[in-house]
Structures are given as C-alpha cells and as structure tokens.
Amino acid sequence: MLTLAALSLRLRASSCQGSCRSIATVISGNKTSKLVRERLKKEVENMRTQFSGFRPSLVVLQVGDRDDSNLYISHKLKAAAEIGIDAKHVRLPSSATQNEVLQSIMAVNDNLSVHGLIVQLPLDSVNAIDNELVTNAVSPEKDVDGLSCINAGKLSRGDLNDCFIPCTPNGCMELIRQTGVSVAGKHAVVIGRSKIVGAPMHDLLLWSHATVTTCHSKTPDLPKQVGRADILVVGAGRAEMVRGEWLKEGTVVIDCGINHVPDETKASGKRVVGDVHYASANERAAYITPVPGGVGPMTVAMLMENTVRSAQRFLLKNQQRR
C-alpha cells in the first residue's frame, strides 16, 4: 500500500509522461525522514504508555574531538530527542587506547538499560586502533549501525528480520519505496562496494528480488553497466562521476555521495554535490534524490528506526521470559 508521499510522487511522475517527461521527480529525503520520525515518535509514546515510562536508549561513543564527527553526532542527538529516545554522548579523549575503547564498549554491552550503541567513525586517537575489532566488539543486539560481522552476515544470507540493516542502505530502500516503483524483477546497479553502503545495498536489493550488478573501480565500461539500470544507487565518493547521458530513460537514481567542489559564488568557496551529475541526470531519470537533502537525512532517521526496533525486541524478549 502506497503512503501519501509515495502516491504524490507517482502522480507527479505519471502526469509528465511523453512530451512533458523531461525532468525527474525529486525524492525528498527531508520529507521522507520527517514521516519516519513522526511514526517513530508515536511508537515511542505507545511504549512509554504501555510500559510505564519506558524509553529506548542510545549511546554514541566518540574518540577524540573531530569537528565533522561533532556535527554528525549533534544531528543524531537532536533526532533522538525529537522522537523521545534517551540518547547519551560518551566522548573519550584522543589519548584513548584501544583497550580503553573496548572497555567502554563492553560496559555499554552489559548495561541492560541501553538498547543501541554506535561507535562514531573515524576514531580520532593518537594511538593505533583496529576499527574492525572495535566495530565487532559491539553486541549484535545493540549494533544499531548494522556494521558488525554478525549483522552483515545475517543480511548477506537474507535474514532481514533477525539483524540490524546499515542505516544508509536502509534509508535508500525507504526512498525507493516512496516512488512506488517495485524493486522485484528490476535490474539494479550499485556503484561502490564499501561495507557501509555498497555491499549491504547489494544485499538489500537482491533480497528484494532485484537482479543486481555491483560496479567498482575495476569495472570496465561503467557507462554501459549504468545504462542497463532500472534502479541506480551510487556510493563511489567521486564528485559528479555519473553523467546523465549514461542513464536510460526512466531510471530511479539514488545518490549517496557527499562531495565538496569549488564554487566562488558561495561564501565558503565550495558547494556540496553528489556522485551523480544532477543537472544532466535530472533530464533522463524518472526519480532522483537531491544532494543535499536526499539520502543524508534518511541515514539519521534509519538509525533512530533501528534503535526503536532494538528497544521493542528487548521488551518482547523480557515478556517471553516471564
């Protein structure tokens, strides 16, 4: 069943078929994330009513004091407060050792009142720290970033109801759903194979019954591969790499890129662009996400979604034990 936002997107697209069809319908991450947050807020209120003041709890663990990490964390804390999630920011100094980081993670793992734990990357420490070791130290039941090998393994084998899905790919799937376009039977192309975006995006599309091609730096004739896509998801980290002329008419384009390019007209001297050349892609795609305002807001919204789901699983498990 289509949401009101999805129906609106579909009607706008269908009203501009044929001679009128020259500009893609924009899939707004800002609007969609607002819908997700409003839904989650109601779910949290219901939990508090049903279980006398119970609130989902999230811990954000940071090492160091990077400005970009501080900004991302502030967005997460703001979203959590808006929904009713009890979010706590734990910051370790840049002098923190790997063992100290692991001890902090274990303490949160053992805390039954916390339902979600994310480790803000990159780890800004003067000491060598193994990111994989730290990521996998987070309890799979609290790994609301969905980055541990346990959750990644479950996703790769299709156990979608028994794992946490990484937030950016999950947000991409929600944006695709908003278009009303069925993924089943479509040819999806994913550019990028990172553990955070590309690889889990491939798995999600596959288990949604798409035929999936993953492209990367060693893929020959990338424009040819892109031209076969009904659904294109790009997370390559290269500014405006994908050109509109590569697309076939009617493609759904999801742009995960965040890049800064020089722009003398801006006070900062630069502007944010995606991995897709928006102006040219906008003339051939059926639907397209903007940058900014597309995938970015959905990443935070889906982190909140995972935290609420974790709290619900915790309550269900407690009820089953009684």
Side-chain angles (χ1 to χ4, degrees):
M1 186 174 180
L2 294 180
T3 65
L4 186 59
L7 184 59
S8 175
L9 280 175
R10 175 173 279 189
L11 288 173
R12 268 182 281 161
S14 62
S15 67
C16 282
Q17 295 289 328
S19 60
C20 179
R21 239 297 287 136
S22 59
I23 298 178
T25 300
V26 175
I27 317 168
S28 172
N30 288 327
K31 291 180 180 178
T32 305
S33 65
K34 183 180 179 182
L35 293 174
V36 172
R37 293 196 307 271
E38 288 172 350
R39 171 172 55 77
L40 293 175
K41 184 176 181 179
K42 292 177 182 177
E43 291 184 21
V44 169
E45 287 172 352
N46 288 339
M47 278 191 277
R48 293 184 69 176
T49 301
Q50 189 174 353
F51 297 96
S52 61
F54 175 87
R55 291 177 67 188
S57 175
L58 172 69
V59 169
V60 181
L61 178 63
Q62 179 184 14
V63 178
D65 193 27
R66 286 175 59 112
D67 289 339
D68 55 350
S69 292
N70 291 335
L71 178 62
Y72 297 144
I73 290 170
S74 70
H75 290 326
K76 294 166 185 175
L77 297 178
K78 181 180 178 182
E82 183 182 305
I83 291 166
I85 294 171
D86 181 19
K88 182 180 180 183
H89 179 196
V90 176
R91 181 189 282 121
L92 300 180
S94 57
S95 60
T97 64
Q98 178 170 285
N99 191 48
E100 288 171 335
V101 174
L102 292 173
Q103 286 177 347
S104 295
I105 291 172
M106 295 306 171
V108 177
N109 285 347
D110 293 339
N111 187 343
L112 294 178
S113 68
V114 177
H115 311 108
L117 167 61
I118 65 171
V119 179
Q120 185 68 41
L121 300 175
L123 300 169
D124 182 25
S125 175
V126 296
N127 299 300
I129 298 180
D130 185 337
N131 282 359
E132 282 291 305
L133 183 65
V134 166
T135 299
N136 287 316
V138 177
S139 168
E141 290 79 16
K142 299 185 180 186
D143 173 31
V144 289
D145 256 343
L147 300 181
S148 70
C149 61
I150 298 295
N151 279 313
K154 288 182 176 181
L155 173 58
S156 70
R157 58 188 282 171
D159 297 338
L160 304 189
N161 294 321
D162 190 35
C163 71
F164 288 113
I165 299 168
C167 302
T168 298
N170 207 9
C172 291
M173 292 300 294
E174 185 62 36
L175 291 172
I176 294 170
R177 277 190 287 272
Q178 289 298 315
T179 69
V181 173
S182 174
V183 173
K186 298 296 191 299
H187 186 177
V189 173
V190 179
I191 302 180
R193 53 181 171 180
S194 72
K195 296 175 183 178
I196 296 175
V197 180
M201 192 73 234
H202 169 279
D203 293 338
L204 279 174
L205 288 163
L206 180 67
W207 293 113
S208 296
H209 311 298
T211 299
V212 189
T213 299
T214 297
C215 301
H216 45 77
S217 59
K218 298 292 189 286
T219 300
D221 201 356
L222 185 60
K224 180 179 179 181
Q225 298 296 335
V226 170
R228 299 166 61 201
D230 301 307
I231 299 169
L232 176 68
V233 183
V234 189
R238 291 180 57 187
E240 299 181 324
M241 177 185 73
V242 175
R243 312 300 295 184
E245 55 267 27
W246 296 5
L247 305 175
K248 70 178 181 182
E249 290 275 352
T251 307
V252 177
V253 179
I254 308 294
D255 189 350
C256 302
I258 302 177
N259 310 283
H260 294 89
V261 297
D263 188 339
E264 294 179 358
T265 67
K266 303 293 184 182
S268 63
K270 56 187 178 181
R271 61 189 169 88
V272 178
V273 299
D275 291 350
V276 177
H277 187 265
Y278 187 87
S280 59
N282 195 33
E283 296 178 356
R284 294 183 65 84
Y287 301 92
I288 190 169
T289 56
V291 177
V295 173
M298 292 303 299
T299 298
V300 176
M302 302 323 282
L303 172 63
M304 299 301 116
E305 169 109 51
N306 280 350
T307 303
V308 172
R309 294 291 160 264
S310 181
Q312 290 170 336
R313 290 174 186 175
F314 171 80
L315 290 173
L316 180 61
K317 191 178 294 185
N318 269 12
Q319 283 182 311
Q320 290 172 344
R321 285 173 180 167
R322 291 177 182 175

